Amino acid sequence: VHYLFVTKAESDGLTAADHLKRMDCQYHWQNDGYADFEDFLSRCTSRRRKTIRRERRHVHDAGLRLEQRLGDTLSEKEWRWVHGFYESTFDRKWGNPSLTQDFFSLAGRLMGKNMLIVFVYDETEEQPDWPVACSIMFIGETALYGRFWGCRAEYNSLHFEACYYQGIEYCINNNIQTFEPGAQGEHKITRGFIPTLTYSAHHINHPGFRDAISKYLDEERRHIERRCTGLNDLLPFKSESISL
């Protein structure tokens, strides 16, 4: 079995004999030429605007300071912090962290300019220069990709700030069109991330498995399309401020 992620045009070009095509729904933020974060908020309904501001205020009132850094500016000590935060997510949930400390150090050396690290510091701690959390994102030509997050203390709304709002601000400030914060999470919709159909292609050698999976994908596709369209009702934007 092997698979690849593709665009819709690439998916349409694949023959059924070679690959089974799967559709899914993720949540992507789109830059509508916003001047700044406040401009983005101005396109939202009053209720959602207040919610986002309240979440950002929780972080500020907790004495937290956030710092955006490109990977090529991090020291080896800071990369050890990043890897520790990455591992902490698996410690709290489940699974095995597959990326090693050496991976992060090497990535920083080879593609550091394409990595955005958001460190979070608690100014009220005894060691205010030791981060309490960080998020890890990758910078593409037209998109920002949020992938990992970790923390060593819990704070109200910090995940939303470090993983979503900081990424939105980075995209606005650097004229990046799309922010893909990762799969799943319908809570992203009310924070400005649009339900978006995504496509992948899968090659299955075994004919029995292939037939069963093909039938499942045909049924799943219809549900995904309806669900993705219906979720647009949860978006925070004023009806006249965005075109889907």
Side-chain angles (χ1 to χ4, degrees):
V1 177
H2 73 263
Y3 66 91
L4 62 153
F5 294 101
V6 294
T7 64
K8 185 179 188 304
E10 291 169 335
S11 172
D12 292 341
L14 294 171
T15 64
D18 292 330
H19 291 85
L20 299 179
K21 290 176 282 187
R22 187 181 184 220
M23 180 183 294
D24 201 357
C25 183
Q26 294 185 4
Y27 312 106
H28 299 171
W29 179 86
Q30 298 294 334
N31 191 345
D32 195 23
Y34 302 116
D36 51 31
F37 197 88
E38 280 300 310
D39 186 20
F40 160 65
L41 286 182
S42 72
R43 317 285 182 95
C44 298
T45 63
S46 174
R47 177 186 176 189
R48 294 305 179 188
R49 189 163 57 243
K50 290 177 181 177
T51 297
I52 293 173
R53 283 179 173 152
R54 183 171 61 249
E55 289 173 345
R56 304 201 83 181
R57 190 166 57 249
H58 285 317
V59 174
H60 178 269
D61 292 348
L64 300 179
R65 175 175 62 87
L66 288 94
E67 181 182 44
Q68 296 183 1
R69 299 273 301 279
L70 292 182
D72 61 347
T73 70
L74 269 63
S75 66
E76 281 300 314
K77 179 180 180 180
E78 289 171 322
W79 278 119
R80 288 194 294 272
W81 288 343
V82 171
H83 183 251
F85 286 124
Y86 160 76
E87 285 190 317
S88 72
T89 300
F90 293 89
D91 292 339
R92 291 197 312 274
K93 296 184 178 181
W94 54 269
N96 296 312
S98 57
L99 303 179
T100 65
Q101 170 65 53
D102 288 341
F103 166 83
F104 282 101
S105 297
L106 182 62
R109 291 196 298 271
L110 297 182
M111 54 178 294
K113 291 182 179 179
N114 296 105
M115 296 181 72
L116 176 65
I117 308 298
V118 178
F119 282 126
V120 184
Y121 301 89
D122 187 341
E123 303 287 350
T124 67
E125 275 206 336
E126 292 184 4
Q127 295 179 281
D129 294 330
W130 180 25
V132 295
C134 89
S135 59
I136 306 165
M137 309 180 203
F138 294 85
I139 307 166
E141 291 185 5
T142 61
L144 179 69
Y145 304 91
R147 284 300 174 265
F148 306 112
W149 140 270
C151 63
R152 59 183 179 85
E154 298 291 338
Y155 296 88
N156 190 348
S157 302
L158 179 56
H159 177 263
F160 302 140
E161 177 65 39
C163 296
Y164 305 150
Y165 303 144
Q166 288 290 308
I168 289 174
E169 282 197 334
Y170 186 86
C171 288
I172 293 172
N173 293 338
N174 292 274
N175 297 314
I176 295 176
Q177 178 58 40
T178 304
F179 178 23
E180 300 184 22
Q184 302 177 346
E186 292 182 9
H187 58 275
K188 297 169 184 171
I189 303 173
T190 56
R191 292 165 177 88
F193 293 83
I194 300 171
T196 305
L197 291 174
T198 60
Y199 305 86
S200 58
H202 307 257
H203 180 76
I204 312 296
N205 281 324
H206 191 285
F209 278 127
R210 180 183 178 83
D211 182 60
I213 293 172
S214 177
K215 291 177 180 177
Y216 171 80
L217 292 179
D218 287 341
E219 180 67 22
E220 181 191 47
R221 192 174 299 114
R222 291 190 287 271
H223 292 292
I224 291 292
E225 287 179 315
R226 287 197 298 269
R227 176 171 170 269
C228 202
T229 300
L231 287 173
N232 284 326
D233 293 339
L234 301 177
L235 283 167
F237 303 109
K238 302 172 187 175
S239 58
E240 71 277 7
S241 68
I242 188 169
S243 58
L244 301 178

